[in-house]
Amino acid sequence: MQHRIRTAIGSETHAPSAFLRTVAMLAVTALITAGCIPDGDSPAAGPSPADLSTMELSAGPLNPAFTPAVTNYDVMAPHGTDSTMLTATAANASAKLAVNNQPAVSGQPFGPIPLDVGINPVTVVVDAPGATKSYTVVVTRGGPADLFGLELSAGPLSPDFDPATTDYSVSAPSTTTQTTVTATLSDERATFTINGQPATSGQPSNPINLATGTNTITIVVTAVNGTTKTYRVFVNRAGPGNANLSTLQLSAGPLSPPFNPNTVNYSVTTASTTATTTVTATVQVASSSLTINGQPAVSGVPFGPIPLNPSGTTTQITITVRAQDGVTVKTYTVEVARGASSNANLSNLVVSAGALQPPFSPTRTSYDVETSKTTFSTTVTATAQDSSATVKINNGPANPGQSSAAVLLLSNTTRINIEVRAQNGNTRTYRVDVEKD
């Protein structure tokens, strides 16, 4: 006000008496009240010997742009600016300058002036012959436009949160239809929005609907100095899971019915001699996971060998596919029927009364044994090649591989019949004639 009064009455070049100064002040007050002289930061009438010709701050541009007659300015400084240099040039070469009550040299940088986060007033006083003028610059240093923390209920961020990283992704299963966002400010004086809606630091947002595919969530942080920083989270919600196989094969034999991705139950009939099988399963979607009989398997690569139960029985094999969404699961089942054995051969035949003539061979069925007249009985040990086969000696049951009950020998020749019955019903009879000398 004092500066404006001086400008209005020309007192900066001719100092008036106390009486005239009082009269002038009353006149100016009346003019301001009447609206004839603007109040505030409007340029005063005419130049002043205490004017600055230029003023600059390294922290940022002045607002409004510098005009010698305007005395109040603002500068918005980013958070990282912790000091500023001020360069002021007096219009009058004989004027003296003081910045924040410290002597300064006209036209030379003054500083550095420390800047706290928030409001920092800087005053420049110009003391010219017969006049003094004060300029004020309010430097607002913003807090960081950073987040301190960021979480989504839909799942963990990738990569892990870092205030300097602005883009993230989240993978969500198809069952996740909404997410909340909890963002925490580094500077609680800052504000932020989530998808354009004001939000509260440290508090979960309202639920955000998630469509199938990629959903972009935008968090815009505004610091106290007006600077902004934008964080983005791309939430990828999986579509309905595909847990189908594209092919399925067993080395034990062809599937019945032929493979179809929508058919889950199959059977395979194999020979009794097939003791193992491999399984080759290929998933339709490469990101699906695969297990066979509960063990991890690789799509398109043979798994096994898997042991099969004994001939004449079945073995169940399960192939489970889990889709990428982690929810959709499909299980295929194959029943492998191992055929009944047709093997009715012996692997060995021993008669206690004497040695077989000729020596035993599984494919030869007739033998002779010579023994003494004093041998009145003999045992027979018959071992089947296939453990599922049964053995009878002279129509009486026998334990394969074990000695039979005693067989009485007649005075001259005694015939012993050994019948082997395979699992499928096939039979073969071996004959031994025991002759007494």
Side-chain angles (χ1 to χ4, degrees), residues 346-368:
L346 289 178
S347 62
N348 196 21
L349 180 61
V350 176
V351 178
S352 63
L356 297 178
Q357 296 296 329
F360 177 76
S361 170
T363 58
R364 185 179 180 88
T365 58
S366 296
Y367 300 90
D368 293 320

Side-chain angles (χ1 to χ4, degrees), residues 152-367:
L152 272 74
S153 62
L157 297 177
S158 178
D160 292 338
F161 179 74
D162 184 296
T165 302
T166 55
D167 283 356
Y168 299 89
S169 63
V170 170
S171 295
S174 60
T175 53
T176 301
T177 58
Q178 291 182 326
T179 187
T180 59
V181 178
T182 303
T184 305
L185 294 167
S186 291
D187 182 356
E188 292 299 328
R189 294 170 302 175
T191 59
F192 71 102
T193 61
I194 299 175
N195 285 352
Q197 299 300 312
T200 302
S201 177
Q203 298 297 317
S205 69
N206 291 327
I208 299 170
N209 293 328
L210 298 176
T212 298
T214 301
N215 301 261
T216 303
I217 298 175
T218 303
I219 302 102
V220 179
V221 183
T222 303
V224 292
N225 68 347
T227 59
T228 62
K229 188 172 187 178
T230 300
Y231 294 84
R232 296 184 302 174
V233 184
F234 303 99
V235 183
N236 299 303
R237 179 188 169 198
N242 183 340
N244 285 339
L245 290 177
S246 60
T247 63
L248 178 61
Q249 295 176 327
L250 272 71
S251 62
L255 296 177
S256 178
F259 179 74
N260 183 299
N262 298 319
T263 303
V264 295
N265 294 320
Y266 298 90
S267 63
V268 169
T269 300
T270 189
S272 63
T273 54
T274 304
T276 64
T277 187
T278 61
V279 178
T280 304
T282 305
V283 296
Q284 282 188 356
V285 178
S287 57
S288 299
S289 62
L290 179 68
T291 61
I292 297 176
N293 284 351
Q295 299 299 312
V298 179
S299 175
V301 176
F303 177 91
I306 300 171
L308 298 178
N309 292 330
S311 56
T313 61
T314 61
T315 303
Q316 181 172 282
I317 299 173
T318 59
I319 303 96
T320 301
V321 183
R322 184 178 295 274
Q324 184 186 21
D325 64 6
V327 176
T328 307
V329 177
K330 194 170 191 177
T331 299
Y332 296 82
T333 301
V334 183
E335 294 281 349
V336 182
R338 186 176 176 185
S341 174
S342 60
N343 187 344
N345 288 339
L346 289 178
S347 62
N348 196 21
L349 180 61
V350 176
V351 178
S352 63
L356 297 178
Q357 296 296 329
F360 177 76
S361 170
T363 58
R364 185 179 180 88
T365 58
S366 296
Y367 300 90

Side-chain angles (χ1 to χ4, degrees), residues 1-14:
M1 176 67 76
Q2 215 172 15
H3 163 66
R4 297 192 185 96
I5 293 171
R6 287 177 180 151
T7 302
I9 65 175
S11 62
E12 290 173 335
T13 55
H14 303 284

Side-chain angles (χ1 to χ4, degrees), residues 15 84 92-93 240 247 257 290 436:
T84 186
N92 189 332
T247 63
L290 179 68
K436 289 185 177 182

